[in-house]
Amino acid sequence: MSRVFNFSAGPSCLPEEVLKECAAEMLDCNGTGQSVMEMSHRSAAFEPIIAHAESQVRKLMKVPQNYKVLFLQGGGSTQFAMVAQNLAIHSGKAAYIQTGVWAKKAAAEAKKLGVKVDIVASSEDKNYSYIPRVEKISGEYDYAYICFNNTIMGTHYEYIPETGNIPLVADISSCVLSEELDVSKFGLLFAGAQKNLAPAGVTLVIIREDLISEKTLEGTPTMLSYKTHADADSMYNTPPCYTIYVLGKVLDWIERNGGAAGMQKRNAEKAKLLYDYLDSSDFYHATAEVGSRSLMNVPFLTKYSAGAKDEASVAKENEINKKFVAQAAATGLVNLAGHRLVGGMRASIYNAMPIEGVKALVDFMEKFAKENS
């Protein structure tokens, strides 16, 4: 079977040339006679692999010298707790901007740990279809928290809130290295790898060194302290070695394709193609508002989602959605089902998605609209 265009929100598609490189080295990486899957994380064979991954993160994201780069486990969801446990150690208060499921879950996790959480802005009033404008956050907060790109709702910050001396924390799991980003504007950035960096299994954390402390919330386990991992250069325990290896190769691919600036240009072109079609269509419409739209995740609905939500119309909408997803998959366009909180369909067009995939999707959408309108 030939390769499909995979529009999954995560785990997502990886660059094909990276997959081929990994396949070629599966049994013998760098002349060691072994797979990275088999290497000791403390061996001379693995040391240059993790060092290369960190070096590429620093280069491509222009990470300042006073920041640590960590490769952790537990996914972005574990960071919801780690951020609170490590940063909410002075006033015990934190400010959150609630723009979707992940920011809401992060705030709930902090509350469980006894942090006084202030929701300083929210877009829940319109089902998180936009990013509220918060020019400045001030107060006695240990940190301020945002989710920079919202995978489910398809929204994205087109600005960085001003927080003064309050460390700004951002979940960039679904947009890491999709665009240029000034790391110095943040106290801490984290990203689960499975959208733009690597297979699931490693979480990238970039943290300003002054935020790494022996002091944490009472009861914080050793493994959930940033200092534990910073002091051990991400080697306190066995890290996800193979995923870090793939991450390094993906970063090399990003560099060959123009770095963060190259990815931003590539992604803007893909997103414009899809949004322009949606905005000109009488059959489909994008759910995210103009001015808050993600370059990575594009949820959209058909005309059958409008109007009264009686039982018959809901059934018709569900029928059309299922038909769309099934017929798209049959043509090699897979994983287009929308999240249940939005409905409809969702096309995730991460860095590795070629523009040919988006063109094929738009062609299919036009054909489907003609046949079902």
Side-chain angles (χ1 to χ4, degrees):
M1 182 179 179
S2 60
R3 294 274 293 169
V4 297
F5 290 118
N6 178 12
F7 293 91
S8 170
S12 64
C13 59
L14 289 167
E16 190 168 327
E17 62 190 81
V18 169
L19 293 174
K20 288 177 178 176
E21 286 177 31
C22 294
E25 296 177 355
M26 178 57 74
L27 298 180
D28 180 7
C29 179
N30 297 330
T32 62
Q34 58 186 312
S35 171
V36 179
M37 289 184 183
E38 305 168 296
M39 285 180 185
S40 165
H41 61 295
R42 304 200 187 279
S43 67
F46 184 69
E47 184 178 334
I49 291 173
I50 192 168
H52 175 70
E54 177 176 343
S55 174
Q56 286 294 74
V57 169
R58 288 188 177 278
K59 183 197 301 184
L60 294 171
M61 296 186 71
K62 298 175 182 176
V63 179
Q65 285 301 307
N66 63 324
Y67 284 71
K68 282 281 191 180
V69 173
L70 305 176
F71 299 111
L72 307 183
Q73 299 179 63
S77 295
T78 298
Q79 292 305 305
F80 300 164
M82 281 189 78
V83 165
Q85 288 169 316
N86 287 265
L87 301 190
I89 55 175
H90 302 296
S91 69
K93 297 198 302 181
Y96 281 69
I97 300 178
Q98 195 164 286
T99 52
V101 169
W102 305 115
K104 189 174 183 178
K105 285 187 174 183
E109 199 74 2
K111 288 178 184 177
K112 284 182 183 178
L113 295 165
V115 178
K116 171 67 169 66
V117 170
D118 285 348
I119 306 299
V120 296
S122 173
S123 53
E124 191 171 11
D125 61 323
K126 293 185 179 179
N127 196 30
Y128 303 118
S129 61
Y130 69 100
I131 300 293
R133 191 83 192 183
V134 181
E135 298 293 349
K136 186 173 179 63
I137 298 174
S138 58
E140 296 298 317
Y141 296 118
D142 288 331
Y143 64 92
Y145 185 103
I146 61 174
C147 181
F148 211 70
N149 187 83
N150 296 280
T151 323
I152 293 173
M153 305 303 177
T155 58
H156 174 269
Y157 279 80
E158 295 193 355
Y159 73 102
I160 298 174
E162 175 59 48
T163 60
N165 292 325
I166 303 169
L168 179 60
V169 175
D171 176 354
I172 57 169
S173 294
S174 53
C175 62
V176 59
L177 276 170
S178 66
E179 61 189 327
E180 294 186 287
L181 191 64
D182 186 350
V183 172
S184 69
K185 298 282 188 184
F186 302 86
L188 187 152
L189 295 164
F190 70 85
Q194 66 274 15
K195 319 284 189 180
N196 262 341
L197 296 179
V202 66
T203 302
L204 173 67
V205 173
I206 302 172
I207 180 172
R208 207 171 64 215
E209 289 178 349
D210 64 290
L211 298 176
I212 301 171
S213 171
E214 288 186 2
K215 183 180 179 182
T216 57
L217 292 184
E218 186 177 352
T220 297
T222 301
M223 278 292 290
L224 297 184
S225 165
Y226 289 125
K227 186 167 176 37
T228 296
H229 302 285
D231 287 351
D233 293 325
S234 301
M235 294 278 203
Y236 178 78
N237 69 327
T238 306
C241 298
Y242 193 79
T243 316
I244 293 169
Y245 155 80
V246 178
L247 182 147
K249 288 192 174 295
V250 171
L251 296 180
D252 291 343
W253 174 85
I254 290 174
E255 184 175 33
R256 291 194 297 270
N257 286 275
M263 290 298 105
Q264 187 165 352
K265 181 180 178 182
R266 172 190 176 101
N267 293 326
E269 185 181 5
K270 291 184 294 185
K272 184 178 188 305
L273 180 64
L274 184 49
Y275 283 122
D276 281 354
Y277 174 72
L278 288 168
D279 291 341
S280 67
S281 173
D282 294 327
F283 190 83
Y284 307 98
H285 65 274
T287 60
E289 295 184 9
V290 174
S292 297
R293 287 177 169 178
S294 171
L295 297 182
M296 298 284 93
N297 312 100
V298 186
F300 58 93
L301 304 173
T302 70
K303 67 177 184 178
Y304 294 100
S305 67
K309 291 295 181 181
D310 58 87
E311 190 173 326
S313 62
V314 169
K316 178 64 176 176
E317 180 186 351
N318 290 338
E319 177 191 340
I320 287 292
N321 292 345
K322 288 179 181 177
K323 185 177 181 182
F324 181 101
V325 171
Q327 290 188 0
T331 66
L333 309 170
V334 303
N335 294 317
L336 280 162
H339 193 277
R340 66 185 181 280
L341 295 178
V342 179
M345 279 65 66
R346 174 177 52 176
S348 292
I349 49 177
Y350 296 117
N351 286 349
M353 173 61 67
I355 194 165
E356 290 76 17
V358 180
K359 288 178 179 177
L361 173 60
V362 169
D363 288 345
F364 170 78
M365 290 171 70
E366 192 164 10
K367 179 175 180 290
F368 185 88
K370 288 176 182 177
E371 292 174 352
N372 292 276
S373 59

